[in-house]
Amino acid sequence: MGFWSSRPSSSATPHTRPHLAMIFSWEPRLRRPAAKPFRSLCLLTALVVWAKATSAAAPVPAVEVVGSVDVAPAWAGHPVGFALLTLSDRQYVAFYAADRHLTVASRPRDGETWQLFRLPSQQPGPPRYGAAEASAVVGWDSHNSIVMAADSEGQLHLAGNMHCNRLTYWRTRQPGAIDTFEPVAAMVGRDEEQCTYPVFMKLADGRLVFQYRSGRSGDGSTFLNVYDLEARSWRRLVDSPVFDGEKKRNAYPLPPVAGPDGEFHMSWVWRESPDAAANHDLSYARSRDLAHWLTASDCPITLPITLSTSGVIVDRIPVGGGLLNGSGRVGFDSQKRPLLSYFKYDPSGHSQAFVARRAGTVWKVVQLSDWPHRFELAGGGTLPRYDIRLGAVEPGEEGELRLEFGHVKEGSGVWVLDEERLAVLRTEPVVHRYPRSLWKLGSTFPGMGVRYADDLGSAGVPGRRFFLRWETLPANRDKPRPEPWPEPSMLRVVEVRDPAAAASLQPPQ
């Protein structure tokens, strides 16, 4: 048995495939699997794969490996997000090499030979947490994921290796030429000393947007910048922060989800301190352009959004209520209505799965599970394991919705819900997004797990997709590990034929 986890790292647009990277982890365990998370209680979403689901379902064609190409040996001491970007004629990979140095690889889309380029580093060692430092060398922090995007002229943009550090960002001088990457010291020059959670996304008109948090857990604000192609410079998309913690807290937003209605949908929780138990108040807003925001009842929101902003709270979950930042994944029903899936404690103190959908002037909240277990959320740093995973709700057969779930003790499956009542009708088996042939570890070092990162671009061929695969030790709450460390792991790009891609858990759209 094992456990999948996933980590979002980058963006979405309502009219194109989202630039949202997901990192999935396979942790082999004899009994209780452990999962790798993606941020300080990182903005985590998840896919869990076990074989304990019940009920019959029509057979789904298996995902089949078409081929794989070795990129280079990668650092294996802890999990941290890598980036894969497939464009029309080339493919790019950004990763931490065996010596922990941020490296970019490029190849012709169907080629087997990679060009490698080590990004210029602003200092020789890794950045210290909370320091206004920038570096291309990663330490032990699993927050320091890499995100990458291409603008409309083909210039590559890359950010990463930040957890409350100075903005760490590179851009190419020539379209697609990785050996022209150079560090850019600032985007707008304000609120860039303590950056975390970089996200690239595109607006409907093709403009590139960059989202990040300034500040720390329990004291931070979220900003959006937009790139000017002609001036080759960034400016604020809106003058104020999107979220402002007012020096008392911070918002943990999931990356904006591009909905079937052509709008961005975003959920978030608030946190009062670095302690994971301090999450509270699941909330929601939507926007067509990321600059002008509305509540679920179509009321305009004055930015910045704060805890006192009216009309945005979905479920008033208190501090200590079992709410995880990264919960609240946005999905949609057949009528394009948004639904949020999340977990929290029930009145008995057990962790349960819930879905919420707007019904008139209120949110209808429905409990889906009845598990006799509690997932204790506490502490700071990237947690080494998450006991519960929920996907995003998506339409199923007529009158039905589907929601993928996983639990370390109760197993995994897909709940089939009645679309109107949101009641569970039956449970079906999970469709494995990654072929079983890739689950087997190559390393014999104790505690290793398999990691995957989805493509930020597109294979461009129906039924085909690419992803990255490598192996690392699990997260260690962002703390150093004593030696010995595992040998570097071979990072590979895998191509699969996936006729059932729509039935798999997808990155947030």
Side-chain angles (χ1 to χ4, degrees), residues 158-331:
L158 188 152
N161 203 25
M162 295 175 285
H163 187 194
C164 299
N165 297 120
R166 184 180 299 281
L167 177 70
T168 308
Y169 163 64
W170 294 263
R171 185 173 66 232
T172 55
R173 295 191 311 273
Q174 299 175 20
I178 62 173
D179 57 356
T180 68
F181 263 118
E182 57 187 9
V184 180
M187 283 189 174
V188 302
R190 303 187 307 277
D191 298 294
E192 296 178 353
E193 292 77 30
Q194 291 190 324
C195 301
T196 313
Y197 307 139
V199 177
F200 286 116
M201 62 197 89
K202 284 188 176 179
L203 297 173
D205 59 9
R207 287 183 296 162
L208 189 64
V209 173
F210 182 74
Q211 175 183 299
Y212 70 99
R213 185 188 74 191
S214 172
R216 302 175 180 233
S217 181
D219 177 10
S221 300
T222 300
F223 291 91
L224 291 173
N225 298 336
V226 62
Y227 188 63
D228 186 322
L229 279 175
E230 184 175 345
R232 288 180 60 84
S233 64
W234 293 86
R235 60 175 175 80
R236 290 280 192 245
L237 180 65
V238 289
D239 291 334
S240 72
V242 178
F243 297 102
D244 185 2
E246 304 172 294
K247 304 297 183 182
K248 301 176 182 178
R249 60 188 63 87
N250 75 284
Y252 275 97
L254 284 174
V257 174
D261 55 358
E263 293 190 311
F264 289 102
H265 300 257
M266 187 151 59
S267 71
W268 68 93
V269 305
W270 292 100
R271 186 190 282 187
E272 299 298 305
S273 76
D275 188 350
N279 293 322
H280 61 96
D281 289 323
L282 178 66
S283 305
Y284 163 89
R286 59 187 177 84
S287 172
R288 283 202 168 270
D289 57 7
L290 299 178
H292 303 89
W293 291 86
L294 300 172
T295 68
S297 56
D298 298 329
C299 295
I301 296 172
T302 299
L303 297 182
I305 297 171
T306 67
L307 182 60
S308 61
T309 298
S310 63
V312 297
I313 294 180
V314 174
D315 193 345
R316 290 189 178 275
I317 302 168
V319 169
L323 177 65
L324 175 69
N325 50 296
S327 282
R329 290 195 62 183
V330 179

Side-chain angles (χ1 to χ4, degrees), residues 367-432:
Q367 181 176 328
L368 302 179
S369 61
D370 188 21
W371 295 320
H373 313 289
R374 179 183 177 95
F375 174 25
E376 196 68 52
L377 292 175
T382 304
L383 300 188
R385 191 186 73 204
Y386 292 85
D387 289 1
I388 301 172
R389 301 291 190 215
L390 293 175
V393 175
E394 58 185 29
E397 299 296 326
E398 184 175 357
E400 296 180 347
L401 302 173
R402 299 174 64 84
L403 175 61
E404 195 163 307
F405 72 91
H407 192 291
V408 292
K409 293 182 177 179
E410 299 296 325
S412 66
V414 177
W415 282 316
V416 179
L417 311 178
D418 180 277
E419 184 162 16
E420 290 308 312
R421 295 185 295 115
L422 301 181
V424 177
L425 300 176
R426 62 186 182 277
T427 304
E428 295 181 352
V430 171
V431 176
H432 298 311

Side-chain angles (χ1 to χ4, degrees), residues 7 43 52 66 90 104 245 269 312 320 323 336 439 473 506:
R7 183 190 323 246
L43 291 178
K52 194 183 173 182
V66 175
R90 293 198 71 85
V104 181
V269 305
V312 297
L323 177 65
K336 304 180 182 180
W439 297 3
L473 289 174
Q506 298 293 322

